[in-house]
Amino acid sequence: MIFTGKKIDAALNEFSQTVKPVSLYKDAWKRLRKNKMALIGLVIVILYFAVSLFAPVLPFYPYERQEMRHIHLPPSPESAGIVMLRVRTAYFDRLMTREGRSEYTQAEQAELAAMRLEIETNPVHKRVYILGTDILGRDLLSRTIYGGRISLGIGVVGTFTALLMGILYGAIAGYAGGRLDNIMMRIVDIIYGLPYMMVVIVFMALFGGRNVYLLFIAIALVSWLTISRVVRGQIISLKNSEFIEAARSVGAGTPRIIMNHLLPNTLGIIIIYSSLSFPGFIMAESFLSFLGLGVSAPMSSWGSLIDEGVKGMELYPWLLIVPAVMMTVFLFAINFLGDGLRDAFDPQGKNKT
């Protein structure tokens, strides 16, 4: 189906019956709804973005608040005081077994009694850490959600920048053609020849790193190259079509032809590229954070949380499992959604369903 920027009226078939036209997007949504995994992925992605967006007004503990008495508490639906007492009692039990004793020492009994009294009187021990705490007694659920805000923000910025720069650059090169197209594409080839991750690492190292805004800029530097090539190829295949010739014949200028006629007919491939490239930007940010070039404390991202979890995974496995599972679920969901969108916007897919 070709988009010409105008509303399509109902048509008549060979039996003189009114046939209501179906747009590309309605047809794609109809096929997407039949893909169960893509719909599940869509729901999960929306849920992640909703929780990340409204995290400041949701009842989460502040991600930077430290409570040194709650260090390394395991995940539990019970209050922190009860979990803290249980952990300490289990430690004394192991110590007692190792030393061959049958009862606690006076010092251990006094410490447990003092801990019970504090738990009853201090309201801070009423907190509940569903996913446990880290090395500084910070709520891991809150840190994972706020870390997701950074990681999802990187994905949004990277994808938006790639679309904004890549679509504009590729559309101009593809429509202009000739020498200008050749020069513009050679520039893309030169930048493409540079190792992407090395460019980002060098940029972060030169300008100090560990700054979320620098991280945004670094990810956006070369994120637009692939989509510029994709859009250029689509524009080249469409620019000599009949509906484009018709637009030229009525005096439409180059900007209008590109914006109103060519780009709307490339939106399908652009949407697919966006959904499939989004996980790549999150993985790039996570890799940088894992190397220590990401965001700085007390802020966190999924990558930095995984880095912290790896260091203590043998004794405190939840520090690694929680952010890793949160990140993995999101990446699977958005990949399922991307695959579903690719199938939904595939013109050959119409004959498959």
Side-chain angles (χ1 to χ4, degrees):
M1 181 175 291
I2 301 299
F3 285 90
T4 60
K6 295 182 180 180
K7 182 178 179 180
I8 303 175
D9 295 326
L12 298 177
N13 61 12
E14 62 269 24
F15 303 106
S16 299
Q17 296 173 326
T18 302
V19 179
K20 186 177 180 181
V22 179
S23 70
L24 172 65
Y25 303 107
K26 288 184 179 179
D27 188 54
W29 171 244
K30 180 181 177 181
R31 278 178 280 140
L32 182 65
R33 286 185 301 177
K34 297 179 181 179
N35 190 328
K36 296 283 195 300
M37 295 305 297
L39 283 182
I40 293 173
L42 177 62
V43 171
I44 293 175
V45 169
I46 292 175
L47 180 63
Y48 267 73
F49 273 100
V51 173
S52 297
L53 183 63
F54 296 106
V57 298
L58 293 176
F60 297 125
Y61 299 123
Y63 68 91
E64 76 280 4
R65 180 177 295 175
Q66 302 177 12
E67 181 51 61
M68 301 307 293
R69 288 166 293 185
H70 296 167
I71 290 175
H72 289 150
L73 293 184
S76 175
E78 298 178 304
S79 65
I82 295 176
V83 178
M84 183 174 63
L85 181 61
R86 184 187 302 123
V87 170
R88 195 61 177 168
T89 302
Y91 170 75
F92 286 153
D93 289 342
R94 291 194 301 269
L95 186 62
M96 187 171 58
T97 302
R98 188 165 61 245
E99 294 178 355
R101 293 185 283 112
S102 60
E103 58 183 15
Y104 300 131
T105 64
Q106 291 185 351
E108 291 170 347
Q109 293 177 7
E111 181 177 342
L112 292 177
M115 186 177 292
R116 293 190 185 96
L117 180 60
E118 183 183 5
I119 290 171
E120 295 176 357
T121 57
N122 193 339
V124 74
H125 298 303
K126 302 296 183 182
R127 295 179 183 176
V128 176
Y129 302 112
I130 297 177
L131 298 182
T133 61
D134 64 3
I135 191 173
L136 296 176
R138 296 171 296 192
D139 182 22
L140 193 57
L141 172 62
S142 179
R143 287 185 61 76
T144 304
I145 289 174
Y146 278 87
R149 286 167 62 90
I150 299 295
S151 296
L152 294 180
I154 291 291
V156 170
V157 169
T159 304
F160 179 77
T161 305
L163 294 180
L164 185 64
M165 298 179 62
I167 290 174
L168 181 62
Y169 195 92
I172 293 174
Y175 189 78
R179 187 172 182 180
L180 179 61
D181 177 34
N182 190 42
I183 293 174
M184 293 177 72
M185 285 301 103
R186 295 299 74 76
I187 294 174
V188 170
D189 291 339
I190 291 172
I191 302 176
Y192 232 122
L194 301 174
Y196 168 72
M197 192 52 65
M198 285 301 299
V199 172
V200 175
I201 290 174
V202 169
F203 180 87
M204 296 293 292
L206 286 177
F207 293 95
R210 303 195 67 79
N211 184 302
V212 65
Y213 299 107
L214 283 177
L215 192 58
F216 285 163
I217 296 173
I219 294 294
L221 276 177
V222 287
S223 62
W224 55 275
L225 299 175
T226 301
I227 189 60
S228 68
R229 283 182 167 182
V230 172
V231 171
R232 171 182 173 270
Q234 292 292 310
I235 296 298
I236 289 175
S237 67
L238 291 172
K239 69 177 183 179
N240 293 322
S241 302
E242 293 180 357
F243 71 99
I244 298 298
E245 295 295 338
R248 290 196 190 102
S249 66
V250 297
T254 298
R256 182 175 180 179
I257 290 176
I258 292 176
M259 298 302 298
N260 292 355
H261 300 282
L262 288 174
L263 288 183
N265 285 284
T266 64
L267 283 181
I269 192 67
I270 290 172
I271 292 173
I272 295 169
Y273 172 82
S274 302
S275 62
L276 295 178
S277 63
F278 196 96
F281 295 119
I282 294 179
M283 291 297 294
E285 179 277 326
S286 299
F287 179 69
L288 289 173
S289 296
F290 189 82
L291 294 179
L293 295 173
V295 296
S296 58
M299 298 179 68
S300 63
S301 67
W302 285 336
S304 63
L305 290 174
I306 291 174
D307 179 39
E308 294 173 4
V310 168
K311 298 174 183 177
M313 61 182 295
E314 294 183 0
L315 296 175
Y316 316 108
W318 63 87
L319 295 180
L320 175 62
I321 292 174
V322 170
V325 169
M326 293 280 282
M327 180 177 175
T328 301
V329 169
F330 179 80
L331 293 180
F332 269 114
I334 200 166
N335 273 291
F336 284 136
L337 177 59
D339 289 340
L341 288 173
R342 180 193 60 199
D343 295 338
F345 279 97
D346 182 8
Q348 301 300 323
K350 292 182 179 181
N351 300 323
K352 300 177 184 177
T353 57

